[in-house]
Amino acid sequence: MPGRIVVVGLGPGGVDHVTAETLATIERIKHRHLRTSIHPSAHLVPDAVTHDDLYETADTFDDVYIEITSRLTAAANEHGEVLYAVPGSPLVLERTVRYLRERAAAGIIELDVLPAMSFLDVAWARLGIDPVEAGVRLVDGHEFTTAAAGERGPMLVAHTHANWVLNEIKLAVEDARGDEPVTMLHALGTDAELIVETTWAHIDQTIEADHLTSIYIPQLAAPVGQGYVRFHELTRTLREQCPWDIEQTHETLIPFLLEETYEVVDALQALDPDNPSSDDDLIEELGDLLFQIEFHATIAEQEGRFTIADVTQGIHDKLVRRHPHVFGDTVADNTATVLENWDEIKKAEKGRTSIFEGIPRSLPSLAYAQKIGRKASKVGFDWPDVAGAFPKIVEETAELAEAMTQTDTAATELELGDLLFAVVNVARHLKIDAELALRAASDKFRARFEGVEALAASRSIDLKAADLVTLDALWDEVKSNAS
């Protein structure tokens, strides 16, 4: 039989807000747990196991709540029944209760959640508003950017336990004027209660926030994440109303995705550090690429498969996992260590058995060859330096020349590929990106031949009718002028 967990709430702060049912339950159940002892009424739960240590050691708040859930489950199975006391009400913004409900639904534990007074009841009284009539949105401060997207207010934002959290909330609204009114609510229902009127520009400077701090936002001049929300809605509208957009599928959009990616590369290479106006092309091309991403997510949303929120959440969580030196205790003092850790974490996540798994075969061939060579090098299959790689070019050139004397086209193609792969390996040892090097050489050839075209036109020379001697002379002249 699974263990039983009884969850009670300690109210917003003062002991007079703790219900008689909660006090009786605390008295009845001898094995007691507190999510945190940092609460004015925590002393009402004597001899309790606290979980404050997790807030110092876990990487994220979600990790804290998951580990608390695991600890409570183990305790309930050991003792048969345990008490779990949380600040405020267990029914309001208490994520551990959400995870406990999931375990109860799976039959892992039995769960009883008792109602309690939350900080909301005191907040509405102090603000003098009816939250239902006013249409107040309750938002978790840790998720403000996403949870409040598209909202202007009114909003009551909880879990604003530190001034850095308030600062992140402030910065999330780029179009705020700064003079929008905000009410700071602190330690409601206790002797230290503070209600301070301030403005959006000063929400992180008005008081020293802690776990009993929240803010009330009557109205913002612009919605949270206004620009992206408008863009997201536009993509949906096009998909629903434009005949061309309606016809598209993931497959038909692939050429456009590739094209927009290459155009971003062109815009990046055209950036001029001394000319801010060169940013304009990059802004436009990044927007075009972002539209492709939104388009694919919108198609998937209509198919009921996933949404853009799944995409952003996925990349957010992956980047946190892949950066334990930023979000955890791992030490990485240099780029090489960061990349090594990244590869090991990625390998463990994917359960891969080959070093080449995960390299897209659809990559441009030079980039594909670079990645293949780099992966093999990481396990020691490589020359120690470029002096070992360079002679392979001569060797592969000779083999290509030999193949060309035969009539086997397939063999010639293979030898040409070997030569190109050898050149890529030399580039890798020289720390030169073969893709960019060939692009630069192609651009140079293009620019010079355009010079040949211009020179021929100025002399009334028909390029198609000109012999090779004439063309070489024009080429040498352009080359000489360029150097």
Side-chain angles (χ1 to χ4, degrees):
M1 183 175 179
R4 182 181 183 82
I5 301 172
V6 180
V7 188
V8 299
L10 298 178
V15 296
D16 52 336
H17 292 142
V18 181
T19 69
E21 181 183 32
T22 292
L23 293 172
T25 304
I26 294 172
E27 176 66 24
R28 180 180 66 80
I29 301 176
K30 303 308 178 184
H31 298 286
R32 308 177 182 114
H33 287 251
L34 278 165
R35 174 161 69 75
T36 175
S37 61
I38 306 174
H39 187 274
S41 297
H43 66 279
L44 297 175
V45 190
D47 304 319
V49 175
T50 70
H51 302 280
D52 292 310
D53 61 301
L54 293 175
Y55 290 91
E56 300 297 328
T57 58
D59 293 336
T60 66
F61 283 107
D62 213 42
D63 290 339
V64 172
Y65 305 138
I66 291 172
E67 178 59 25
I68 290 176
T69 304
S70 297
R71 288 182 177 184
L72 291 170
T73 301
N77 289 332
E78 178 183 354
H79 301 294
E81 183 179 52
V82 297
L83 176 94
Y84 177 47
V86 301
S89 167
L91 300 171
V92 178
L93 292 177
E94 186 56 54
R95 196 168 301 178
T96 51
V97 173
R98 181 200 308 173
Y99 293 139
L100 288 171
R101 287 188 189 279
E102 292 174 358
R103 296 201 173 195
I108 299 173
I109 58 169
E110 291 185 358
L111 183 66
D112 189 9
V113 182
L114 304 184
M117 185 175 180
S118 78
F119 78 99
L120 295 175
D121 300 284
V122 185
W124 308 140
R126 300 296 187 266
L127 293 168
I129 61 174
D130 181 328
V132 177
E133 289 187 356
V136 180
R137 171 79 182 276
L138 182 60
V139 178
D140 187 328
H142 296 156
E143 302 174 352
F144 183 81
T145 303
T146 53
E151 297 284 342
R152 289 180 182 272
M155 289 179 278
L156 184 66
V157 186
H159 290 173
T160 57
H161 56 85
N163 288 68
W164 65 264
V165 178
L166 292 170
N167 180 257
E168 288 190 351
I169 291 172
K170 180 174 76 173
L171 296 178
V173 187
E174 296 179 356
D175 297 328
R177 297 189 309 267
D179 60 352
E180 295 89 346
V182 178
T183 303
M184 312 289 297
L185 306 169
H186 179 74
L188 295 179
T190 73
D191 294 338
E193 178 176 296
L194 283 175
I195 300 175
V196 182
E197 302 295 336
T198 186
T199 61
W200 188 256
H202 297 97
I203 61 172
D204 55 342
Q205 305 164 23
T206 304
I207 64 172
E208 281 300 315
D210 64 20
H211 62 290
L212 296 178
T213 303
S214 57
I215 61 174
Y216 175 67
I217 307 166
Q219 188 174 28
L220 287 170
V224 181
Q226 179 187 32
Y228 192 82
V229 171
R230 288 176 61 239
F231 173 63
H232 179 63
E233 292 302 322
L234 172 65
T235 307
R236 284 183 175 180
T237 300
L238 292 175
R239 177 66 178 170
E240 293 167 358
Q241 299 182 24
C242 172
W244 186 87
D245 290 76
I246 292 171
E247 292 177 356
Q248 301 313 303
T249 67
H250 289 308
E251 287 294 325
T252 64
L253 289 173
I254 289 175
F256 301 100
L257 177 61
L258 292 172
E259 180 180 342
E260 298 301 349
T261 302
Y262 288 129
E263 289 183 2
V264 167
V265 173
D266 283 347
L268 286 168
Q269 293 181 327
L271 282 177
D272 182 351
D274 299 321
N275 181 13
S277 66
S278 65
D279 293 344
D280 294 343
D281 283 344
L282 181 57
I283 291 170
E284 179 182 351
E285 299 305 341
L286 286 173
D288 290 343
L289 182 58
L290 181 60
F291 176 66
Q292 291 299 313
I293 296 169
E294 263 286 348
F295 206 152
H296 283 283
T298 300
I299 291 174
E301 180 180 332
Q302 291 177 330
E303 294 174 345
R305 298 175 70 89
F306 62 85
T307 69
I308 192 66
D310 296 309
V311 175
T312 56
Q313 184 67 48
I315 187 60
H316 171 276
D317 293 348
K318 182 168 75 172
L319 289 174
V320 170
R321 290 194 307 272
R322 302 272 179 91
H323 290 79
H325 53 288
V326 176
F327 303 104
D329 299 326
T330 301
V331 176
D333 298 326
N334 54 67
T335 299
T337 305
V338 171
L339 294 177
E340 183 178 342
N341 290 342
W342 178 285
D343 285 341
E344 288 301 314
I345 295 169
K346 185 176 181 179
K347 183 178 179 180
E349 287 176 353
K350 304 291 186 180
R352 290 170 175 163
T353 57
S354 170
I355 58 172
F356 299 127
E357 287 184 42
I359 299 179
R361 292 183 180 276
S362 57
L363 279 173
S365 56
L366 288 179
Y368 182 64
Q370 284 182 147
K371 279 190 171 289
I372 291 290
R374 190 179 301 123
K375 289 288 187 180
S377 177
K378 287 185 177 181
V379 295
F381 192 77
D382 196 9
W383 293 278
D385 52 41
V386 72
F390 193 72
K392 287 295 290 183
I393 293 180
V394 177
E395 178 184 328
E396 297 297 348
T397 301
E399 292 181 6
L400 174 60
E402 174 64 24
M404 290 169 59
T405 65
Q406 309 300 320
T407 58
D408 190 344
T409 304
T412 303
E413 181 179 331
L414 286 174
E415 294 300 342
L416 178 60
D418 289 344
L419 175 58
L420 291 172
F421 193 82
V423 171
V424 169
N425 275 333
V426 168
R428 181 169 54 80
H429 278 282
L430 293 173
K431 301 189 184 320
I432 293 173
D433 188 301
E435 188 79 29
L436 297 180
L438 181 57
R439 180 180 291 270
S442 299
D443 285 343
K444 182 174 70 173
F445 177 86
R446 175 178 175 172
R448 285 183 178 174
F449 196 81
E450 286 172 346
V452 169
E453 289 177 316
L455 195 58
S458 69
R459 296 174 182 175
S460 301
I461 298 174
D462 183 356
L463 286 180
K464 291 182 180 180
D467 56 24
L468 186 56
V469 174
T470 302
L471 293 177
D472 277 342
L474 292 172
W475 176 270
D476 290 340
E477 186 174 346
V478 170
K479 184 178 178 179
S480 175
N481 292 336
S483 58

